[in-house]
Amino acid sequence: MDILNLLSPILESVGFPALIFLVWYVYHNSQVKAMNKIIKNNFEILKQMLEVNQKHTETLSRIENKIDNNLWCPILKREMGQGIGRIG
């Protein structure tokens, strides 16, 4: 009841459309704040995903280099050291 008593003079002086605008304005501000938090969170997640992607790319590059040089198999590595040569 206290809220209705406070709102009644406001409604009489500025009207019902002003009250609707005030409710919309408060709601809109809360939605903007929530959306900004979501966007900030998404950018942080994207940043982390890019870092992980770079690490995966580095690891795959090292594996590819080892495969190209036949260093991934200990038997081939030992045979290459004995002078048999590269396979492939």
Side-chain angles (χ1 to χ4, degrees):
M1 277 306 215
D2 290 333
I3 294 174
L4 293 177
N5 291 336
L6 291 173
L7 289 179
S8 63
I10 295 173
L11 287 175
E12 289 173 3
S13 63
V14 292
F16 190 70
L19 179 65
I20 296 297
F21 176 76
L22 180 66
V23 169
W24 173 83
Y25 183 75
V26 170
Y27 174 76
H28 179 71
N29 280 343
S30 68
Q31 290 298 314
V32 168
K33 287 179 185 178
M35 193 59 71
N36 285 338
K37 286 181 185 179
I38 290 170
I39 290 171
K40 183 178 177 184
N41 189 25
N42 284 344
F43 278 121
E44 289 297 321
I45 291 171
L46 181 62
K47 182 180 174 183
Q48 292 172 358
M49 288 175 65
L50 286 173
E51 291 173 0
V52 169
N53 192 17
Q54 287 175 344
K55 291 180 191 234
H56 286 165
T57 303
E58 291 172 5
T59 303
L60 288 173
S61 178
R62 286 195 311 265
I63 290 172
E64 181 184 11
N65 188 25
K66 287 181 180 182
I67 290 172
D68 287 344
N69 293 326
N70 287 328
L71 298 177
W72 56 277
C73 179
I75 296 170
L76 290 176
K77 186 176 180 181
R78 186 180 65 228
E79 289 175 0
M80 285 179 65
Q82 294 173 356
I84 292 177
R86 220 176 125 178
I87 297 174

